[in-house]
Amino acid sequence: MAFLSDALARVAPSATVAISQKARTLAQEGRDIIALSAGEPDFDTPLHVRQAAIAAMDAGKTRYTNVDGIPELKEAVAAKFRRDNGLDVTAADCFVSSGGKQIIFNAMLATLNPGDEVVVPVPYWVSYPEIVRLCGAEPVFAVADASTGFKLSPAALEAAITPKTKWLILNTPSNPTGAAYSPAELRGLADVLLAHPHVHILTDDIYEVLVYDGGTFATIAQVEPKLQPRTVTMNGVSKSHAMTGWRIGYCTGPRPLLAAMTKLQGQSISCPTSISQWAAVEALNGSQDFLEEWRAVFQARRDMVVAGLNANTGLDCLTPEGAFYVFPSCQRLLGKTSAGGALLANDEDFVMALLEETGVALVHGTAFGLPGHFRLSYAASNAELEEAIKRIQQFCAGIV
């Protein structure tokens, strides 16, 4: 009898966590490392949010809460969805958990059975297919490569849907590419989904506030209200308010599903952290003035990174519309040898040689389902990014 679960054998380790851990280990050994492998804002949590957490602790709000979140936070979540996304919801239509990933786990675990299929656009955030597999279902990959700006086309979505399809997972703006769907592009996907009423949609909007060049964010239930009864619209405060460690995600969705997720959460985490919930109330209800400044900083970093990666490096980097990632192709450099003597047979060889020879930590594209690319997170200081781009340029120049 095997000791470990068969379900665990279906799941691969997180590549982003593995690369980030290797970078930390090298740094502890004294190496000069620039880690651009993790997706985490480098800003501090806004002061008024931190003060709300302190006030909650001082007021003794440190005990168990309702399984699906304190009423005050669910009200704030509902108000946010009405205000920012045009969704007609109340607190009863909302759910709070320990981060966006926990929302996805809860929704998938509450609904998936062996034989079910989930459409996952490629490239994908590393956890999507693994969560699906852990739940005993099968991810079905629909390719959205550079030829479509890393966006799922209606034709590709249509081709991926079968009678076994239970969910589509849609992420905009995207991790790892930064691609952000316009309302018109979502309209095309919505038209396909209207023809398949058995397919539910989980839209991961965690990077909502980071859309650049004057673009407008849209979510699919906003574009097509007829889809709202079968859509989970997920968001959180991690990226928008630099609260990754506070672990608060939230969503709105069909009430029967939220009830099932509450049942599941009651037997797992019991409730989200009380102090973090009160901080999130302030994050959603309080001043958002800092967001425009943050967005401008990220856009300037994006422009600098894209220009540097495309500057005679042999790399090909599209300009993303949102988030804080770029997803360049290194295809033209594969099959060659680095200055340090490493054969660059694939994208993983490329990022590992880059790390060993220059100290710049990135994540290979195969981890996101699209070989021949890599992900760089520009959620780092300008000085770190400038030095990293310099090292990448020198590394690429030495490839023969």
Side-chain angles (χ1 to χ4, degrees):
M1 179 186 297
F3 178 63
L4 296 180
S5 164
D6 291 343
L8 191 62
R10 298 192 293 265
V11 179
S14 170
T16 53
V17 172
I19 294 288
S20 297
Q21 181 57 51
K22 181 174 179 61
R24 283 191 291 269
T25 299
L26 290 174
Q28 291 167 358
E29 294 172 355
R31 292 282 304 276
D32 178 15
I33 301 298
I34 302 176
L36 304 180
S37 52
E40 184 170 42
D42 59 315
F43 300 110
D44 290 330
T45 303
L47 178 60
H48 64 285
V49 177
R50 286 179 275 147
Q51 290 174 332
I54 294 169
M57 287 187 283
D58 289 343
K61 296 176 179 178
T62 57
R63 300 182 182 278
Y64 291 130
T65 73
N66 292 350
V67 170
D68 60 346
I70 58 175
E72 292 84 352
L73 182 51
K74 292 175 66 178
E75 290 287 355
V77 167
K80 176 261 179 291
F81 281 130
R82 293 192 299 266
R83 177 183 69 238
D84 298 339
N85 308 116
L87 301 181
D88 183 16
V89 299
T90 68
D93 304 302
C94 298
F95 180 92
V96 180
S97 192
S98 296
K101 186 183 288 188
Q102 187 73 47
I103 297 278
I104 301 169
F105 257 111
N106 287 341
M108 296 297 109
L109 196 56
T111 58
L112 291 177
N113 294 305
D116 289 341
E117 295 177 352
V118 177
V119 176
V120 179
V122 176
Y124 46 72
W125 179 48
V126 295
S127 292
Y128 294 147
E130 307 309 328
I131 291 172
V132 171
R133 292 186 179 110
L134 187 62
C135 295
E138 292 296 324
V140 174
F141 299 116
V143 176
D145 59 19
S147 67
T148 61
F150 300 119
K151 298 176 188 179
L152 182 66
S153 69
L157 174 59
E158 179 68 50
I161 293 174
T162 76
K164 297 180 179 180
T165 306
K166 186 165 279 186
W167 288 95
L168 162 68
I169 297 179
L170 189 64
N171 176 210
T172 179
S174 162
N175 176 3
T177 68
Y181 290 81
S182 69
E185 289 164 336
L186 289 176
R187 176 74 264 168
L189 299 180
D191 289 342
V192 173
L193 291 163
L194 286 171
H196 298 281
H198 68 292
V199 179
H200 293 72
I201 307 100
L202 190 150
T203 180
D204 180 349
D205 298 346
I206 200 76
Y207 297 95
E208 172 184 354
V209 301
L210 297 177
V211 177
Y212 307 125
D213 303 314
T216 301
F217 174 80
T219 193
I220 199 161
Q222 176 184 22
V223 169
E224 178 46 79
K226 291 180 182 177
L227 292 177
Q228 187 171 340
R230 50 187 168 112
T231 299
V232 171
T233 303
M234 189 276 284
N235 213 314
V237 293
S238 291
K239 317 298 183 178
S240 59
H241 292 74
M243 296 176 67
T244 51
W246 298 75
R247 309 311 304 135
I248 293 292
Y250 56 82
C251 71
T252 183
R255 291 188 187 181
L257 174 57
L258 299 186
M261 291 167 63
T262 301
K263 178 181 179 181
L264 181 62
Q265 186 153 288
Q267 295 291 1
S268 56
I269 66 169
S270 296
C271 65
T273 303
S274 60
I275 300 160
S276 294
Q277 289 189 68
W278 285 106
V281 171
E282 178 61 25
L284 295 179
N285 289 345
S287 173
Q288 312 295 314
D289 292 346
F290 63 93
L291 288 177
E292 190 56 46
E293 178 185 350
W294 287 11
R295 185 161 41 238
V297 170
F298 278 128
Q299 181 172 322
R301 291 173 176 175
R302 177 204 65 175
D303 294 344
M304 182 261 288
V305 166
V306 170
L309 292 176
N310 283 327
N312 299 315
T313 57
L315 304 171
D316 298 291
C317 185
L318 297 181
T319 301
E321 298 94 343
F324 39 63
Y325 308 104
V326 292
F327 198 67
S329 169
C330 57
Q331 193 67 46
R332 290 193 284 146
L333 300 176
L334 299 184
K336 301 181 180 182
T337 304
S338 73
L343 175 62
L344 308 180
N346 53 48
D347 52 290
E348 185 171 7
D349 290 340
F350 181 92
V351 299
M352 295 309 295
L354 181 71
L355 178 58
E356 291 290 346
E357 296 179 27
T358 74
V360 176
L362 309 174
V363 185
H364 53 294
T366 300
F368 306 99
L370 196 62
H373 294 73
F374 61 84
R375 189 191 76 174
L376 181 154
S377 168
Y378 53 88
S381 71
N382 285 24
E384 287 180 302
L385 291 171
E386 289 169 1
E387 177 62 23
I389 294 302
K390 178 182 176 181
R391 296 184 192 183
I392 293 170
Q393 290 173 339
Q394 292 173 342
F395 176 80
C396 292
I399 294 174
V400 294

